């Protein structure tokens, strides 16, 4: 069962200057963020951004989040990939499988950057006891034979 938590974030630092790269503008960036809300903590981000002309750009990044949410604490890596071509914008934020530490071991899912420096994380946690109790007849006494696993 997927869960969703939201947060606001602030950018605490941003380092990197664009440079000419084969007629385009390339920028290697390091940033730090603070998250407040249902998800709270901090992150470090490493990004490469490319601007081609006025309305065409792309970026890729890796972000390491040290956070707490839903009673869990730990860290994980979030992979960013985005393109913009005029009004045609696409962004994908994915949790790197196997990157979770602490209570977040087994974390998977996606994220979204919301308007106004908002952040949403949609996640699943491998071995989540609430999810397991939905299908395990030993922890869910009302499981029906259709959901009972074969021995």
């Amino acid at each position: 069962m997927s869960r969703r938590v939201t947060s606001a974030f602030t950018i605490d630092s941003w380092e990197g200057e664009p440079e000419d790269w084969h007629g385009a503008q390339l920028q290697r960036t390091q940033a730090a963020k603070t998250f407040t809300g249902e998800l709270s903590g901090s992150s470090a981000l490493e990004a490469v951004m490319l601007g081609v002309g006025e309305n065409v750009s792309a970026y890729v990044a890796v972000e390491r989040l040290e956070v707490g949410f839903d009673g869990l604490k730990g860290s994980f890596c979030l992979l960013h990939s985005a393109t913009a071509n005029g009004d045609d914008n696409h962004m994908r934020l994915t949790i790197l499988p196997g990157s979770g530490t602490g209570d977040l071991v087994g974390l998977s899912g996606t994220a979204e950057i919301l308007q106004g420096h908002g952040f949403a994380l949609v996640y699943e946690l491998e071995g989540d006891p609430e999810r397991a109790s939905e299908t395990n007849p030993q922890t869910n006494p009302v499981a029906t034979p259709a959901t009972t696993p074969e021995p």
Side-chain angles (χ1 to χ4, degrees), residues 1-128:
M1 174 173 75
S2 292
R3 296 195 178 138
R4 185 176 196 261
V5 291
T6 59
S7 176
F9 69 89
T10 56
I11 298 173
D12 303 318
S13 67
W14 185 274
E15 297 176 22
E17 293 294 324
E19 58 187 68
D20 187 51
W21 186 76
H22 303 282
Q25 293 292 302
L26 182 74
Q27 181 171 328
R28 292 174 181 85
T29 301
Q30 296 178 334
K33 297 180 193 174
T34 299
F35 295 85
T36 55
E38 294 174 325
L39 178 144
S40 63
S42 61
S43 74
L45 175 123
E46 296 275 342
V48 176
M49 302 172 182
L50 180 67
V52 181
E54 279 188 41
N55 296 315
V56 178
S57 61
Y59 90 93
V60 293
V62 177
E63 183 173 12
R64 179 78 170 184
L65 291 89
E66 297 274 347
V67 293
F69 56 89
D70 286 348
L72 306 167
K73 286 185 110 174
S75 66
F76 64 93
C77 289
L78 190 62
L79 305 177
H80 296 232
S81 174
T83 60
N85 186 357
D87 291 333
D88 186 20
N89 301 310
H90 301 279
M91 178 181 282
R92 182 178 171 110
L93 306 176
T94 306
I95 296 170
L96 177 64
S99 68
T101 67
D103 297 332
L104 303 181
V105 169
L107 185 70
S108 63
T110 61
E112 180 181 1
I113 296 174
L114 307 172
Q115 285 187 337
H117 282 237
F119 180 81
L121 180 70
V122 177
Y123 75 94
E124 290 188 14
L125 192 59
E126 185 178 295
D128 182 342

